[in-house]
Structure formats: C-alpha cells, structure tokens
Amino acid sequence: MTTYHELTGFQRDLLEAIAAVDDDPYGLALKDYLDERYADPINHSRLYQNLDQLVDKGLINRDELDTRTNVYTLTDAGTQLLQRQAETLAGLCDQPRPVADGGVQ
C-alpha cells in the first residue's frame, strides 16, 4: 500500500486537485486548477506522466469521458489516503504549540 509520504509533492497535489475539481476532473481541468496554485505553468507531459503513475499505484481511476478525453477519479485507496492525511493535519492543529522558552502556548 502506498503511503502519502511515498508520493511526490506534485502527485499529492494531483490527488487533492482530483478531489477538489467540480464536474469532471479531466486532464486540462486539473492543469487549470494547479496552474492557479503553482508559480510556473504545469507541463502537459509532467501532468499526464504523474496521472499515469497514480493510476498504476491504484490511487486514481482513468475512465474515458469521450473519444479524446479521460476523466480521473479517486479510488477508495486514494480517498482513504487523503482522509488519513487530513485527519493527521487536523490533529496537529489541535495540539498545543511549543514556545521559544520551552513552555507550551
């Protein structure tokens, strides 16, 4: 089973993009979503190579939307991976934060 930290940052961002994009999360919609968040435009080759890798890892499904377009959706494993990460981050936000003098804020 693939863990969240075994993925590249870009692959993690792709999983989040697939979960976030309304309607059909097809390649160009995912690219547009990420282009709004990245300083440099996303290269098509990089996008589709990483989508293929996520399919191979069993984290996303690739289905034909029409003869030229594929749509990408999270598998149960992909959804669980994102949920575990979200729970981890939420738990970290609830913990008291250390302060410079060694105490707790």
PDB file of all heavy atoms in Angstrom, residues 24 29 41 75:
ATOM      1  N   ASP A  24     -16.333  17.147 -14.040  1.00  0.00           N
ATOM      2  CA  ASP A  24     -15.460  16.059 -14.470  1.00  0.00           C
ATOM      3  C   ASP A  24     -13.998  16.472 -14.349  1.00  0.00           C
ATOM      4  O   ASP A  24     -13.541  17.357 -15.066  1.00  0.00           O
ATOM      5  CB  ASP A  24     -15.765  15.678 -15.924  1.00  0.00           C
ATOM      6  CG  ASP A  24     -17.151  15.097 -16.080  1.00  0.00           C
ATOM      7  OD1 ASP A  24     -17.549  14.283 -15.218  1.00  0.00           O
ATOM      8  OD2 ASP A  24     -17.838  15.454 -17.045  1.00  0.00           O
ATOM      9  N   ALA A  29      -8.683  20.321 -16.877  1.00  0.00           N
ATOM     10  CA  ALA A  29      -9.301  20.934 -15.699  1.00  0.00           C
ATOM     11  C   ALA A  29      -8.352  20.831 -14.504  1.00  0.00           C
ATOM     12  O   ALA A  29      -8.224  21.778 -13.714  1.00  0.00           O
ATOM     13  CB  ALA A  29     -10.638  20.266 -15.387  1.00  0.00           C
ATOM     14  N   PRO A  41       3.699  27.492 -15.040  1.00  0.00           N
ATOM     15  CA  PRO A  41       2.693  26.637 -15.675  1.00  0.00           C
ATOM     16  C   PRO A  41       3.096  25.159 -15.609  1.00  0.00           C
ATOM     17  O   PRO A  41       4.275  24.821 -15.663  1.00  0.00           O
ATOM     18  CB  PRO A  41       2.645  27.118 -17.126  1.00  0.00           C
ATOM     19  CG  PRO A  41       3.308  28.450 -17.133  1.00  0.00           C
ATOM     20  CD  PRO A  41       4.256  28.470 -15.975  1.00  0.00           C
ATOM     21  N   THR A  75      -9.807   6.470  -6.305  1.00  0.00           N
ATOM     22  CA  THR A  75     -10.251   5.138  -5.894  1.00  0.00           C
ATOM     23  C   THR A  75     -10.519   5.204  -4.385  1.00  0.00           C
ATOM     24  O   THR A  75     -10.225   6.215  -3.725  1.00  0.00           O
ATOM     25  CB  THR A  75      -9.167   4.082  -6.168  1.00  0.00           C
ATOM     26  OG1 THR A  75      -8.007   4.404  -5.383  1.00  0.00           O
ATOM     27  CG2 THR A  75      -8.812   4.013  -7.645  1.00  0.00           C
TER      28      THR A  75
END
